[in-house]
Amino acid sequence: MFLRLGFIPTIVVSSPQAAEQFLKTHDLVFASRPLLLTAKHVTYGQKNLILAQYGSYWRTVRKMCTLELLSSVKINSFQGMRKEELNLLIESIKAGVAAGVAVDLSSKVSSLNADMTCRMVFGKKYADEEFDERGFKAMMQEAMVSIATPNLGDFIPQIASLDLQGLTKRMKAVSKVFDAFFEKIIDEHVQSKDEKRTKDFVDVMLTFLGSEETEYKIDRERIKAISFVIFV
């Protein structure tokens, strides 16, 4: 089915046969994500793995993430940390049970995931006040809702500058908070003198920063963009 959403031609795939054509036979033709006005701010022009346009840069980033960040060897190096965080969760639940209070397991598991991810990507856990007064969860939710909300400016480019829904303004504010946080993290890693600690994802990416001896041509913006999407 062919539709036109504003000025954007859109195809609705509604059968298994058509889906095979789009997702398998002609996969490379339709592999790129659309350029989204709101997403470009927090993803630094869509330089991360999820929203980057299909091409040499996307293939290079995917290779780096697969081989250098998400390999079984790298993931296994954090096994001790994961056990430590899981034990903290169990002790927290035990304390709640002993005190006779209700335990919100959804919140506990969400916090466990966030803490593990923080330690794997950034090397340590960060308190909400170190990020922003609104906290990790609120800002992350704001970012994801803004990216997922259909933006009139994406479908009618002529009115994009008006920002009628206020989405671009909101995303710029969110992006400013995340950018300051990631800059702080990168600076902490650059200045760190502890050679014995387990290298986290930011450490790995920093080893390629400005290097001419590797195919991974990476800069601070790309490190921040990739860190954001891994954390999400």
Side-chain angles (χ1 to χ4, degrees):
M1 180 186 300
F2 180 82
L3 302 174
R4 187 174 292 277
L5 301 178
F7 289 94
I8 306 301
T10 305
I11 298 175
V12 178
V13 179
S14 56
S15 72
Q17 294 78 16
E20 182 178 14
Q21 291 294 312
F22 279 87
L23 302 177
K24 184 177 180 181
T25 307
H26 303 288
D27 177 53
L28 296 183
V29 178
F30 299 96
S32 290
R33 301 285 187 175
L35 295 172
L36 303 176
L37 294 175
T38 52
K40 74 177 184 180
H41 298 291
V42 78
T43 61
Y44 301 89
Q46 300 191 187
K47 293 178 181 177
N48 60 30
L49 182 62
I50 293 179
L51 294 176
Q53 296 295 294
Y54 179 79
S56 60
Y57 171 71
W58 180 85
R59 290 193 295 270
T60 300
V61 172
R62 183 187 65 172
K63 181 178 179 181
M64 182 186 73
C65 290
T66 302
L67 298 181
E68 307 293 344
L69 304 182
L70 303 174
S71 66
S72 58
V73 173
K74 190 64 183 175
I75 297 300
N76 288 338
S77 70
F78 291 103
Q79 184 176 13
M81 176 275 290
R82 292 197 297 273
K83 287 183 177 179
E84 181 181 327
E85 291 297 328
L86 186 58
N87 286 335
L88 290 175
L89 171 65
I90 293 172
E91 292 302 318
S92 174
I93 294 174
K94 284 182 178 179
V97 172
V101 299
V103 176
D104 186 344
L105 285 179
S106 294
S107 177
K108 292 288 187 183
V109 172
S110 177
S111 295
L112 172 68
N113 285 330
D115 289 343
M116 285 183 175
T117 304
C118 262
R119 293 184 64 178
M120 291 177 68
V121 180
F122 307 137
K124 69 176 186 179
K125 294 184 285 188
Y126 287 86
D128 280 346
E129 56 268 20
E130 295 181 85
F131 178 73
D132 182 77
E133 60 184 11
R134 287 164 287 183
F136 273 111
K137 289 183 180 179
M139 293 302 293
M140 191 63 71
Q141 184 176 18
E142 175 78 6
M144 299 312 296
V145 169
S146 296
I147 292 174
T149 301
N151 188 351
L152 291 175
D154 288 325
F155 302 105
I156 309 175
Q158 291 85 344
I159 66 170
S161 61
L162 300 177
D163 191 22
L164 297 176
Q165 298 160 275
L167 292 174
T168 299
K169 180 180 179 180
R170 285 162 53 190
M171 188 54 77
K172 284 181 177 179
V174 170
S175 176
K176 187 176 180 180
V177 173
F178 275 106
D179 185 75
F181 178 65
F182 289 139
E183 282 290 340
K184 172 185 174 183
I185 288 171
I186 292 174
D187 288 339
E188 287 178 352
H189 281 70
V190 170
Q191 296 165 11
S192 176
K193 304 299 182 182
D194 185 0
E195 298 294 334
K196 296 182 179 180
R197 63 186 175 84
T198 301
K199 299 298 183 181
D200 55 58
F201 288 2
V202 172
D203 283 318
V204 174
M205 288 188 286
L206 281 173
T207 62
F208 303 123
L209 183 64
S211 175
E212 296 297 330
E213 300 178 359
T214 174
E215 64 181 306
Y216 307 135
K217 306 301 181 184
I218 198 167
D219 55 25
R220 288 176 79 101
E221 277 200 351
R222 289 180 170 88
I223 290 176
K224 290 184 286 187
I226 295 169
S227 295
F228 175 79
V229 76
I230 290 178
F231 186 77
V232 171

